Amino acid sequence: MHIDQSKIRNFCIIAHIDHGKSTLADRIIEKTGTLTSREMQAQVLDNMELERERGITIKSQAVRIVYKAKDGEEYIYNLIDTPGHVDFNYEVSRSLAACDGAILVVDAAQGVEAQTLANVYLALDHDLDVMPVINKIDLPSADPDRVVSEIEDVIGIEAEDAPRISAKNGLNIEDVLEQIIVKIPAPTGDENAPLKALIFDSVYDPYKGVIVFFRVREGRIAKGTKVRMMATGAEFETVEVGYFGAGQYIPCDELSAGMVGYMTASIKNLKETRVGDTITDAENPCAEALPGYKKVNPMVYCGLYPADGAKYPDLRDALEKLQLNDASLYYEPETSVALGFGFRCGFLGLLHLEIIQERLEREYNLDLVTTAPSVVYRIHKTNGEMIELTNPSNMPDPSEI
């Protein structure tokens, strides 16, 4: 089955916290009939228990939608819903690398806020076209005209004809779907060139091994293709390729340039599929890898110890699997006189720390003891040396500071 590139749109939805990204994603999925009303639930892409409880998005989720436009053509939309919280900024930058455009949702009452700007700059860094959408026009305090001029003044994007919608009530969603065709560019890339694909996420499945999510930039990948990971040099034979339904994986024959999908290849070792790596054909490799992502620096450090010392290997495995899912998590082993063996972990912020801790306790059934979170201190010693201190127990003698 061959798909014409000009009919594909890859985009993500970015916004400040609580401006209605996931709700808009829900409406788009509903309007295009991807899910029946029986399968539909609020925030359908937030499938982690934690996300549903707190009403926040933690992981980016991808879904493929077929939209029949007013011009009678069918378009394929690959939609990626992203987190709005600054602690999960790294997730956003990875999603952007898999897209050609971004929908920017702005709350008609709140206007442009800090994270709105931060995410727009991230999108512009990736050379994406940004399409503004004004949400929550049903609120009594909504002032869409003010917000339009704010978007134009503060961000400098044309917003006069931005769709004015209410994602909650499903108002003007068609408008958004139609504008995506015009405002967001179709992917480019030669499908007869050697395979070149960027890994933007991966999850571990106990039956299939590591499932790698990627965006094909050039070439094509099919079942049985022998692939090589460029950074690690590992080679695998592809067992299955496919694309994302809402909350499920749908296998297909091949993915060609411009498409977003997943592959499995009975990969058991988590270290061999790094997020940000380039997948290429082992027999006919491409010349150079795609640029990856810049490393993120943890801001908050804290010690995680198993309440029962014998559970140390379990904690190590759990952290390794979580890191596959969340590459901004940093950890290294450490020992403490009082608590025994554990890990010193680095997080992007306190919310990030809290979420990781809860995921370890729930998804991996661990009882954890955590030390008080601290930030990095730079200590200038008398001999002119500067050290970065993440663990209070490594504090040098006061006379040397």
Side-chain angles (χ1 to χ4, degrees):
M1 160 185 129
H2 188 74
I3 295 169
D4 179 10
Q5 256 188 357
S6 66
K7 299 282 180 287
I8 303 177
R9 297 288 182 278
N10 299 318
F11 60 92
C12 56
I13 304 183
I14 55 177
H16 190 79
I17 311 150
D18 279 345
H19 279 205
K21 290 179 297 300
S22 300
T23 314
L24 176 59
D26 286 355
R27 285 301 87 76
I28 291 179
I29 289 171
E30 205 171 49
K31 264 280 189 292
T32 51
T34 310
L35 287 181
T36 61
S37 53
R38 190 172 61 92
E39 295 168 310
M40 197 65 201
Q41 50 171 348
Q43 273 89 31
V44 68
L45 293 179
D46 293 347
N47 48 19
M48 235 160 37
E49 225 182 288
L50 261 176
E51 294 183 307
R52 307 196 63 81
E53 262 172 47
R54 292 169 173 250
I56 56 176
T57 305
I58 297 169
K59 289 289 304 160
S60 303
Q61 291 293 341
V63 59
R64 166 171 166 161
I65 294 161
V66 179
Y67 173 61
K68 205 166 166 48
K70 294 204 173 113
D71 58 11
E73 297 280 354
E74 283 200 345
Y75 289 87
I76 286 182
Y77 288 175
N78 287 309
L79 152 77
I80 301 181
D81 183 27
T82 64
H85 206 284
V86 65
D87 281 19
F88 306 111
N89 220 345
Y90 187 62
E91 282 291 324
V92 181
S93 80
R94 294 191 341 214
S95 312
L96 291 171
C99 295
D100 304 298
I103 294 182
L104 172 70
V105 181
V106 185
D107 184 325
Q110 310 265 8
V112 175
E113 295 190 83
Q115 215 43 42
T116 315
L117 271 177
N119 287 335
V120 169
Y121 289 138
L122 271 178
L124 296 176
D125 278 350
H126 286 88
D127 294 332
L128 299 193
D129 293 26
V130 178
M131 161 187 154
V133 169
I134 293 166
N135 188 19
K136 306 197 187 183
I137 56 165
D138 56 320
L139 292 182
S141 57
D143 184 355
D145 297 331
R146 178 183 60 88
V147 174
V148 165
S149 59
E150 205 172 293
I151 293 175
E152 293 183 339
D153 298 346
V154 179
I155 307 178
I157 311 176
E158 186 59 44
E160 207 32 65
D161 54 351
R164 301 181 178 194
I165 66 165
S166 160
K168 198 162 150 199
N169 305 341
L171 226 79
N172 290 346
I173 304 295
E174 297 268 300
D175 208 10
V176 180
L177 291 168
E178 285 293 323
Q179 279 209 17
I180 289 171
I181 300 172
V182 190
K183 293 268 185 80
I184 288 177
T188 53
D190 177 3
E191 44 188 69
N192 300 317
L195 171 67
K196 194 190 248 186
L198 180 73
I199 303 181
F200 67 89
D201 205 354
S202 47
V203 297
Y204 185 78
D205 179 288
Y207 303 109
K208 297 182 173 177
V210 180
I211 301 177
V212 183
F213 299 175
F214 57 85
R215 155 76 193 264
V216 187
R217 288 281 174 201
E218 282 174 3
R220 51 184 56 180
I221 178 170
K223 196 174 158 177
T225 307
K226 208 167 179 289
V227 294
R228 175 185 304 147
M229 308 292 166
M230 291 186 83
T232 57
E235 296 195 358
F236 304 102
E237 184 152 323
T238 312
V239 176
E240 174 181 309
V241 297
Y243 55 87
F244 308 105
Q248 72 227 54
Y249 298 110
I250 303 174
C252 66
D253 298 334
E254 68 161 21
L255 295 170
S256 56
M259 293 165 83
V260 174
Y262 71 91
M263 64 165 262
T264 66
S266 336
I267 303 167
K268 289 285 172 276
N269 186 356
L270 309 180
K271 296 225 165 31
E272 288 172 340
T273 53
R274 297 254 175 80
V275 166
D277 198 356
T278 303
I279 307 175
T280 188
D281 195 323
E283 263 100 63
N284 176 16
C286 59
E288 73 232 4
L290 291 158
Y293 310 105
K294 51 181 192 290
K295 280 302 289 166
V296 279
N297 292 320
M299 296 293 170
V300 178
Y301 287 85
C302 114
L304 290 180
Y305 295 86
D308 168 9
K311 288 275 174 68
Y312 176 75
D314 298 357
L315 177 58
R316 189 183 55 220
D317 293 349
L319 279 168
E320 194 174 289
K321 281 180 186 158
L322 266 188
Q323 195 175 35
L324 179 75
N325 214 288
D326 178 357
S328 52
L329 169 67
Y330 159 85
Y331 65 93
E332 60 181 21
E334 87 170 343
T335 51
S336 127
V337 185
L339 299 168
F341 291 97
F343 292 93
R344 188 91 199 146
C345 302
F347 306 94
L348 295 184
L350 287 174
L351 178 72
H352 190 206
L353 157 77
E354 208 178 309
I355 296 290
I356 293 284
Q357 188 186 332
E358 273 197 50
R359 285 185 70 182
L360 287 169
E361 289 177 349
R362 285 191 188 188
E363 292 170 33
Y364 301 96
N365 298 325
L366 294 166
D367 280 333
L368 296 178
V369 178
T370 53
T371 61
S374 67
V375 290
V376 184
Y377 288 97
R378 288 200 172 140
I379 292 184
H380 295 273
K381 294 169 76 171
T382 43
N383 61 6
E385 184 191 0
M386 195 272 290
I387 54 171
E388 293 205 336
L389 189 71
T390 57
N391 190 346
S393 61
N394 298 342
M395 183 90 166
D397 191 84
S399 62
E400 294 177 24
I401 299 172

